[in-house]
Amino acid sequence: MNAPLNYVPRSDFKKRTFAATQDPHLRQSFRSAMDFLMAKRQAQFPDQEAFEHLRALGEEVRRYSLSRLPELLEQLEANLTRNGVKVHWAEDAEEANAIFLEISRSHGATRLIKGKSMVSEEIELNHEMAKHGVDCLESDMGEYIVQLDGEKPSHIIMPAIHKTKEQIARLFHEKVPGVDYTDSVDELIQIGRRILRENFRDAHIGVSGVNFAVAETGSLCLVENEGNGRMCTTVPPVHIAITGIEKVVEKLEHVVPLYTLLPRSATGQAITTYFNVISGPRKPGEKDGPKEVHLILLDNGRSQAYADEQLRQTLQCIRCGACMNHCPVYTRIGGHAYGTTYPGPIGEIVSPHMMGLTATHELPFASSLCGACGDVCPVKIPIPDILMRLRREASHEAEPGRPALRGQGAGRNRLVSLAFAAWRTIYSHPGLYRLYAWAASRLNFLTPKSQLGWTASRTPLIPARQTLRDRLKNRA
Amino acid sequence: MEKRTYPGKPRDVYLYATCLVDMFHPDAGMDTVALLEREGIRVHFPRDQTCCGQPAYTSGYPEEAREVARKQLDLFPLPWPVVVPSGSCGGMMRHHYPRLFADEPEARAKALALADRVFELSEFLVHVVQVKLTDRGSAETVALHTSCSARREMGTHLTGADLLAQLCNVKLEVHGHESECCGFGGTFSLKQPDISSAMAADKVAAMQATGARGFISADCGCLLNLNHTLEARKEAFRGEHLATFLCRRTGAKP
């Protein structure tokens, strides 16, 4: 099942974006998919004022939860434990995978079935388990498709959005034994369902993510459309949930505004088909449900974001994907070009904490700062501001007395620093600027014809023969 | 977008032309002066103005931006409005200066006072001057492009369209993905040329698909991006600065 990963490595961001922009098929499929999703979301928020009111509430809930994060996590652990859920803490991907492996081994489990979970993508659970002879099958249809093709999701909500139905039809025909070629979507879904049904029945452990963890009640909320999440968390004898530490809220009522915003922002649905609230394993006398439930709380760089007041806002995210749906850059390059688990604007601001700036320093610059992401964010994360902040941290070494981000200064470029130093000198000395502007206009024939990235697809910028200030002077 | 209360029409204004207009679009600056003077407003050009600081601010060099911005804070001693004929530069002064000086109470107070009287050109013409334009040109169809920050921070898509709607022989065509970024993004156009070029190519294609003769914009960065893209593609379609277009249509003489 676990094909070798054929997605791109985490280097050569420019090479990948170039390839993506030159791929008309990719461009067209993302454009039309994002147009569709933007229209669906817009239909759910017809009244801008009502939306602003609702998202202010969503922001407030997330900010409040984060302001009390340490104590809420302790409360969550205590109440989950009381409910019979075993709680584990993982510092990084390696620790999280070790916990999965340990639980699997203690049950002699070799077959895992998983509902959609981006945190499990973050730790590359499937591939880590495969190394130890544990098979982990995706049961969300989109995730199943990308797993079948040895890929990573290209979108956090719609993992296989980059694929056409013809590509999926060929993939099923080639990779699933006994499947004839069909590009009927209904037939393809039925084929997937049939295979997954058998696997739900036979799996030893079910794996899921968590959308909201409620501290006060010790409950795990799971939002989904396909019912596979419910199958994963109820049919196998053991359920392991994994989530980032930021997903906790204090009270069940705090889930209400967040759940009101999430599906509307994500898929343009007022409500999802399934909303699961999991509050512990099967109790005596109950006829179904897993006998054992585990929750793994993963840090993986989140506490670095948490430690900084501005960067902490990154953790408000409820993973709706609206920022990527509305991002003109994501629409042009798709999700894989980013080389991260989380693509798009949210990926640009969260990945530096997970992977360090050494691996991700180009990402904060992959934005025109147009602001569309910040406008649609249901919890008002000021994504453009955080991008600008990370640009600074990527371009500058840490200063004494200020905590450094992992990989701080990794994108430092002496030429760029020199250019801005020169720019500052000229533009903060009006006399010097006048001289510079006068020379640049009078000697405009000396302007270089090759101007870095600008002239890749544009004619060079040449100053006018006479500046405005000179024209105004002559006029007076 | 914030709701703003506007003052009455003043006798004097400062023109903050921006470095882009000064060096690359001086015509737009001259045409801005002509439009304002025709309304009986005296235009003052502080000669020590340079750049709003945005290039460094958005590129991860806020300290450098602050030093340049600091110099602009002292350019406007009298309480006249400051008119900016380039949307995103206006947004920088209006919305980002107070944040740039968040840790310096004295400079921040100046920045807040300045922010209060900074107006983007189309916003100023519509809401402060309450200009009434008389169209003298022949029938013409155009598209309108607004910079993302000016659109979001100052609502320039509304004021731009309002001015064009006053011209009875001008038809404004709405293009696909009109609110989407043209791919300029300041240094983004240098750092990510492939993505930026793809965005610019889509934008010019969408505007041309409307059948418009050309497009109008009051944002110099976007204008440079799109016009130089069009020139490289050897296409005749061009963008014109809003001030230049209004002068041409209404017969104002720079």
Side-chain angles (χ1 to χ4, degrees):
Chain A
M1 185 67 242
N2 284 295
L5 288 177
N6 64 16
Y7 63 91
V8 282
R10 286 167 179 168
S11 55
D12 293 331
F13 178 68
K14 286 250 166 61
K15 223 185 259 178
R16 295 198 302 270
T17 55
F18 176 74
T21 54
Q22 302 305 307
D23 179 347
H25 162 73
L26 177 144
R27 292 275 297 278
Q28 184 48 46
S29 58
F30 275 94
R31 171 93 270 173
S32 51
M34 297 306 111
D35 283 352
F36 175 73
L37 288 166
M38 285 194 286
K40 289 248 293 175
R41 175 193 166 276
Q42 188 53 46
Q44 288 293 336
F45 297 117
D47 180 346
Q48 185 64 22
E49 229 171 281
F51 170 65
E52 289 300 338
H53 178 76
L54 183 58
R55 75 172 186 150
L57 195 60
E59 179 197 24
E60 193 55 38
V61 166
R62 292 301 298 135
R63 287 178 79 97
Y64 171 76
S65 309
L66 290 171
S67 74
R68 296 188 53 204
L69 186 62
E71 54 187 297
L72 289 185
L73 284 170
E74 282 177 21
Q75 189 186 5
L76 176 72
E77 181 181 27
N79 286 329
L80 281 170
T81 307
R82 187 171 47 88
N83 293 348
V85 176
K86 290 182 184 154
V87 179
H88 311 259
W89 300 84
E91 180 91 30
D92 54 22
E94 202 181 328
E95 280 189 22
N97 283 314
I99 295 165
F100 268 105
L101 195 61
E102 191 188 302
I103 300 170
S104 302
R105 281 187 176 151
S106 74
H107 290 277
T110 54
R111 298 184 66 176
L112 273 49
I113 190 151
K114 175 145 73 83
K116 192 166 167 16
S117 154
M118 286 310 295
V119 177
S120 76
E121 296 287 346
E122 194 183 318
I123 64 169
E124 298 191 346
L125 177 68
N126 302 356
H127 301 281
E128 288 304 313
M129 291 300 106
K131 287 183 193 165
H132 299 279
V134 178
D135 189 49
C136 189
L137 181 71
E138 296 289 350
S139 65
D140 172 272
M141 192 56 70
E143 291 279 354
Y144 176 74
I145 291 164
V146 294
Q147 185 183 32
L148 210 52
D149 212 7
E151 289 184 316
K152 286 201 121 188
S154 60
H155 188 286
I156 66 169
I157 301 293
M158 282 139 293
I161 195 91
H162 57 289
K163 286 200 177 315
T164 61
K165 68 174 179 184
E166 290 78 17
Q167 288 174 320
I168 295 166
R170 270 199 304 279
L171 183 67
F172 273 46
H173 176 57
E174 285 163 17
K175 297 278 175 75
V176 185
V179 170
D180 293 330
Y181 181 92
T182 169
D183 58 15
S184 149
V185 174
D186 283 344
E187 279 180 44
L188 289 168
I189 288 174
Q190 288 312 318
I191 293 164
R193 274 176 72 94
R194 196 189 67 231
I195 295 161
L196 292 171
R197 287 272 149 177
E198 291 160 12
N199 281 282
F200 285 126
R201 189 189 60 209
D202 299 336
H204 304 134
I205 294 177
V207 178
S208 78
V210 175
N211 291 93
F212 317 107
V214 185
E216 195 181 61
T217 56
S219 310
L220 308 176
C221 304
L222 194 57
V223 176
E224 51 137 350
N225 275 318
E226 297 175 16
N228 65 311
R230 183 163 297 177
M231 298 287 269
C232 286
T233 57
T234 52
V235 178
V238 179
H239 168 211
I240 308 174
I242 180 164
T243 191
I245 50 171
E246 81 280 17
K247 289 282 176 69
V248 65
V249 297
E250 186 189 8
K251 296 165 188 283
L252 207 47
E253 70 200 54
H254 291 164
V255 170
V256 177
L258 301 180
Y259 183 46
T260 307
L261 286 159
L262 178 58
R264 285 179 168 85
S265 301
T267 49
Q269 293 171 282
I271 195 165
T272 49
T273 318
Y274 294 86
F275 182 71
N276 308 286
V277 183
I278 298 154
S279 300
R282 183 191 300 196
K283 292 191 178 68
E286 287 180 351
K287 290 206 170 73
D288 61 2
K291 298 193 178 86
E292 209 175 292
V293 177
H294 298 262
L295 174 68
I296 301 172
L297 287 159
L298 176 70
D299 183 333
N300 202 26
R302 288 165 173 81
S303 47
Q304 173 177 286
Y306 183 77
D308 181 283
E309 197 186 343
Q310 185 184 26
L311 301 176
R312 180 183 292 187
Q313 297 173 96
T314 312
L315 303 180
Q316 286 167 213
C317 179
I318 57 171
R319 302 284 190 265
C320 70
C323 60
M324 55 200 80
N325 297 347
H326 290 74
C327 178
V329 173
Y330 177 89
T331 302
R332 299 306 184 301
I333 64 175
H336 287 153
Y338 291 83
T340 53
T341 302
Y342 304 92
I346 186 63
E348 290 165 4
I349 64 171
V350 77
S351 306
H353 302 292
M354 294 169 173
M355 299 159 69
L357 276 166
T358 308
T360 58
H361 63 85
E362 285 185 287
L363 296 184
F365 293 92
S367 164
S368 66
L369 300 177
C370 79
C373 51
D375 276 5
V376 296
C377 177
V379 289
K380 293 176 81 169
I381 303 173
I383 298 176
D385 292 346
I386 296 176
L387 286 169
M388 289 199 287
R389 166 73 188 281
L390 291 171
R391 288 178 182 191
R392 190 194 174 281
E393 307 308 340
S395 311
H396 294 77
E397 302 291 344
E399 287 149 40
R402 269 185 62 181
L405 299 181
R406 190 151 67 98
Q408 169 111 24
R412 190 160 171 268
N413 179 323
R414 275 179 57 84
L415 278 175
V416 175
S417 298
L418 277 171
F420 276 115
W423 174 87
R424 176 187 57 195
T425 305
I426 294 170
Y427 285 81
S428 62
H429 293 89
L432 209 51
Y433 169 76
R434 277 196 291 276
L435 185 66
Y436 162 73
W438 180 84
S441 54
R442 288 307 154 96
L443 307 175
N444 64 357
F445 52 89
L446 296 177
T447 310
K449 299 294 178 286
S450 173
Q451 301 173 345
L452 303 170
W454 178 266
T455 38
S457 63
R458 303 173 191 86
T459 51
L461 284 172
I462 307 210
R465 195 80 178 90
Q466 208 178 12
T467 59
L468 173 67
R469 64 189 62 229
D470 284 345
R471 288 180 63 176
L472 285 171
K473 200 162 41 178
N474 295 343
R475 179 176 176 263
Chain B
M1 203 183 66
E2 52 164 355
K3 289 197 176 72
R4 186 171 189 182
T5 45
Y6 291 98
K9 187 172 124 182
R11 294 188 57 112
D12 298 86
V13 297
Y14 287 113
L15 173 65
Y16 188 80
T18 79
C19 61
L20 290 181
V21 170
D22 192 27
M23 295 239 287
F24 297 101
H25 276 290
D27 288 337
M30 297 303 285
D31 294 329
T32 299
V33 173
L35 285 175
L36 294 169
E37 286 181 345
R38 188 175 62 187
E39 300 303 316
I41 297 168
R42 285 192 294 258
V43 180
H44 305 264
F45 180 89
R47 72 191 285 265
D48 281 353
Q49 60 180 280
T50 60
C51 169
C52 67
Q54 199 174 189
Y57 181 68
T58 55
S59 302
Y61 289 84
E63 288 78 11
E64 285 77 358
R66 198 171 295 126
E67 287 325 298
V68 170
R70 192 185 306 284
K71 297 286 178 173
Q72 320 305 311
L73 290 178
D74 296 323
L75 295 172
F76 315 102
L78 293 166
W80 302 329
V82 179
V83 178
V84 187
S86 194
S88 75
C89 314
M92 175 74 190
M93 299 173 86
R94 178 154 171 75
H95 296 279
H96 298 277
Y97 272 16
R99 297 169 54 190
L100 197 54
F101 295 102
D103 298 329
E104 299 179 42
E106 203 180 316
R108 183 176 145 81
K110 273 192 212 170
L112 281 168
L114 174 61
D116 214 34
R117 57 195 174 105
V118 165
F119 300 91
E120 184 275 335
L121 174 64
S122 67
E123 177 193 26
F124 187 77
L125 289 175
V126 169
H127 292 300
V128 181
V129 177
Q130 303 192 356
V131 69
K132 296 284 170 279
L133 300 168
T134 308
D135 195 1
R136 297 177 196 281
S138 51
E140 186 172 350
T141 306
V142 295
L144 176 68
H145 173 71
T146 49
S147 94
C148 304
S149 51
R151 182 184 189 93
R152 295 198 160 86
E153 292 171 348
M154 340 259 270
T156 54
H157 55 303
L158 302 174
T159 47
D162 190 298
L163 290 168
L164 296 181
Q166 292 189 32
L167 304 170
C168 56
N169 289 325
V170 171
K171 185 163 177 257
L172 176 61
E173 286 286 356
V174 176
H175 59 276
H177 302 101
E178 189 162 291
S179 64
E180 194 172 86
C181 178
C182 72
F184 176 60
T187 51
F188 172 74
S189 57
L190 304 174
K191 275 202 90 123
Q192 304 292 344
D194 301 321
I195 309 172
S196 170
S197 301
M199 289 161 71
D202 287 352
K203 179 59 77 181
V204 295
M207 291 195 296
Q208 283 173 290
T210 64
R213 177 204 59 84
F215 72 96
I216 310 302
S217 182
D219 297 278
C220 295
C222 311
L223 269 174
L224 289 172
N225 178 39
L226 298 172
N227 278 341
H228 285 264
T229 294
L230 286 159
E231 193 175 58
R233 294 160 69 103
K234 302 195 169 33
E235 290 177 39
F237 193 80
R238 284 290 182 280
E240 199 172 5
H241 193 280
L242 177 71
T244 303
F245 182 70
L246 294 182
C247 278
R248 181 165 67 74
R249 295 293 313 188
T250 62
K253 292 274 185 308

